[in-house]
Amino acid sequence: MQVYEIKKDIYWVGAVDWTVRDFHGYSTYEGTTYNAFLMLGEKNVLFDTVKKPLTSDLIHRIRTIIDPAKIDYIVVNHVEMDHSGALPEIVDLVKPEKIFCSKMGHQNLLAHFHKPDWPYHPVEDGEEVKIGDRTIKFLETRMLHWPDSMFSYIPEEKLLISSDAFGQHLGTSERFDDEVDEAELLYQARKYYANILTLYSPLIRKLLEKVQEMGIEIDMIAPDHGVIWRKNPGKILELYDDWSHNRGNRRVLVIYDTMWHSTEKMAKAVADGVESEGVSVQILDLAVNHRSDVVTEVLDSKGVILGCPTLNNGLLPRMAGFLMYMRGLRPTNKFGAAFGSYGWSGESVGLLNKTMEEMKFDLIHDGLKIKYVPDHSSLRECVELGKLMARKVKEALD
Ligand code: FEO
């Protein structure tokens, strides 16, 4: 099977998952890859493995280069099953001398595979292992995004093997950033950050500061998903810095669900109001937009306006599910507002406001409720709500 030498004697031996379309609730329309790397030297080292159903891809790729039994060390940068699912079979095949992992990695490997007899070698943050003329320096990245997560840095190669960080769910036959469409790559990197890392933004800011303080030189970042950053690895570091600060752009989202199109009419009028003030707006109907695509847009939009009618004294289930998902990711530093049609009880706007308050969105309005079907004057109120949001966004960012 095809392998790729990413640095002298360091090979990509991972797997492309062409068929995955749902990654625990995150839509992966382009599939993904599970990247694993084999470094040859005085000791042969395998960094990470792949998802269990793709174990044979990994084994065949390793065999293309060396007999798997000749691997001495395995590094587990992260225990989540998309990178460790193949581990039991690989450990049986390789019989490694050592399995390097973080201390939390050790605990989590035991809790996943129940193999106390594996040759674990838990490492401290910053610990180095010398292998011939190369070094592996382990950098603990706890909660980015699991307690066990760590990076492996090879200073002689200026290579950072970054586990889930800087990844993209992009399944391709290309291995490097300069070989794929840049717009698609950056969209997938943004979607990945929005859906996996937003809630860890404060830790990401600290990590980026730490990397800068340590003066780590990087000319290649090899994440565990998607393509490898070699053309300009500084670009993804800059983007992570930007996203982690949650500054938001001059952009407003109108996210809604509708029952008999009344809330939809309101959504369009609200968006008209935003647009009339010269601010970019995007209307997102939850019936046709996947929640993970919607939170991708939330990441860098300064204003979020939510619309939902009342159903059974509550919200429509798609909106309720979206709010649960978005709240878990904790986007911050947003202006918020709510609207919706109702028939008799009309709780939906209050529930939308309550959720946004819990998320510490800055609510710019008490919320707009319209009985049954909006008339022209009701739609004028919606337009005014949009204008108000646009002016708030402009005041904050201009
Ligand atoms: Fe790609 Fe957290 O696993």
Side-chain angles (χ1 to χ4, degrees):
M1 288 185 93
Q2 190 69 37
V3 296
Y4 295 84
E5 191 173 28
I6 65 164
K7 290 273 186 180
K8 178 87 176 83
D9 290 333
I10 302 178
Y11 295 86
W12 176 88
V13 289
V16 181
D17 191 342
W18 295 99
T19 55
V20 65
R21 291 292 178 271
D22 179 273
F23 206 100
H24 49 59
Y26 169 160
S27 64
T28 48
Y29 304 127
E30 303 294 333
T32 193
T33 71
Y34 311 109
N35 297 337
F37 304 96
L38 179 63
M39 181 168 83
L40 305 183
E42 277 182 19
K43 297 283 185 183
N44 298 315
V45 186
L46 177 67
F47 295 86
D48 297 314
T49 70
V50 299
K51 197 160 127 180
K52 189 174 181 180
L54 298 170
T55 304
S56 70
D57 292 33
L58 172 65
I59 292 172
H60 287 306
R61 285 200 167 91
I62 294 170
R63 281 196 198 286
T64 305
I65 303 164
I66 55 167
D67 177 351
K70 291 191 172 156
I71 292 173
D72 303 285
Y73 298 158
I74 297 174
V75 174
V76 178
N77 282 316
H78 178 26
V79 179
E80 194 167 6
M81 290 286 203
D82 50 333
H83 310 295
S84 71
L87 198 58
E89 198 170 332
I90 293 293
V91 171
D92 280 350
L93 195 62
V94 166
K95 299 190 174 45
E97 193 181 317
K98 289 179 184 174
I99 297 176
F100 291 97
C101 54
S102 66
K103 286 187 173 157
M104 286 302 292
H106 182 203
Q107 289 179 29
N108 287 354
L109 284 169
L110 288 170
H112 276 71
F113 301 110
H114 315 290
K115 299 281 189 188
D117 54 332
W118 282 359
Y120 303 103
H121 189 93
V123 293
E124 301 282 350
D125 180 34
E127 191 170 330
E128 295 184 355
V129 176
K130 204 83 186 141
I131 299 173
D133 55 6
R134 282 191 290 215
T135 313
I136 307 172
K137 187 180 178 87
F138 299 104
L139 302 172
E140 207 175 344
T141 57
R142 192 175 283 204
M143 292 319 298
L144 288 175
H145 71 128
W146 272 27
D148 51 67
S149 299
M150 65 176 191
F151 291 172
S152 297
Y153 174 61
I154 301 162
E156 295 81 5
E157 305 293 343
K158 299 181 183 173
L159 169 64
L160 182 68
I161 298 175
S162 64
S163 187
D164 274 337
F166 314 118
Q168 337 88 45
H169 285 312
L170 184 59
T172 75
S173 59
E174 285 71 39
R175 298 278 69 82
F176 295 101
D177 54 350
D178 50 290
E179 297 173 326
V180 297
D181 179 80
E182 190 180 20
E184 175 69 18
L185 171 62
L186 296 184
Y187 174 76
Q188 293 298 343
R190 183 160 66 98
K191 181 169 178 176
Y192 189 94
Y193 187 100
N195 282 275
I196 296 184
L197 296 170
T198 299
L199 73 164
Y200 303 116
S201 289
L203 294 175
I204 287 178
R205 290 198 294 273
K206 275 192 195 146
L207 175 71
L208 293 174
E209 280 165 20
K210 180 175 155 184
V211 166
Q212 204 162 28
E213 278 163 18
M214 290 171 80
I216 288 175
E217 287 185 275
I218 297 170
D219 77 2
M220 183 180 284
I221 299 176
D224 274 0
H225 294 290
V227 296
I228 295 162
W229 303 90
R230 73 173 173 190
K231 182 183 166 196
N232 180 10
K235 172 85 179 169
I236 190 65
L237 293 172
E238 277 170 28
L239 286 169
Y240 267 50
D241 182 57
D242 187 40
W243 293 329
S244 69
H245 280 88
N246 301 299
R247 294 184 189 98
N249 289 331
R250 214 168 172 277
R251 193 155 170 267
V252 173
L253 303 180
V254 179
I255 303 166
Y256 76 97
D257 201 352
T258 195
M259 198 187 302
W260 292 107
H261 301 287
S262 289
T263 301
E264 182 178 59
K265 288 187 177 93
M266 295 175 76
K268 287 180 179 172
V270 169
D272 262 11
V274 177
E275 196 180 336
S276 71
E277 289 285 334
V279 169
S280 178
V281 65
Q282 187 172 358
I283 299 180
L284 292 152
D285 177 356
L286 291 174
V288 295
N289 289 281
H290 193 274
R291 59 182 167 267
S292 58
D293 293 318
V294 178
V295 298
T296 304
E297 303 309 324
V298 170
L299 177 67
D300 53 10
S301 297
K302 184 70 180 166
V304 176
I305 310 180
L306 301 174
C308 187
T310 298
L311 174 74
N312 301 333
N313 307 110
L315 297 166
L316 287 184
R318 266 191 299 251
M319 177 58 83
F322 170 71
L323 291 180
M324 171 68 81
Y325 189 70
M326 179 170 70
R327 188 164 53 187
L329 289 165
R330 291 184 221 153
T332 57
N333 208 15
K334 310 282 179 203
F335 291 122
F339 64 92
S341 75
Y342 71 104
W344 47 100
S345 57
E347 288 90 346
S348 66
V349 167
L351 291 168
L352 294 173
N353 279 343
K354 183 168 179 280
T355 303
M356 286 191 281
E357 278 169 353
E358 286 166 1
M359 293 171 66
K360 299 190 169 39
F361 281 21
D362 184 358
L363 289 187
I364 61 153
H365 193 276
D366 291 340
L368 202 52
K369 292 161 70 170
I370 303 291
K371 198 169 176 73
Y372 288 116
V373 178
D375 60 8
H376 189 70
S377 99
S378 305
L379 291 176
R380 289 293 323 158
E381 289 181 65
C382 296
V383 170
E384 290 307 316
L385 175 63
K387 283 174 182 265
L388 177 65
M389 175 61 88
R391 287 197 292 269
K392 283 282 183 190
V393 167
K394 284 196 284 191
E395 277 166 29
L397 297 180
D398 286 357

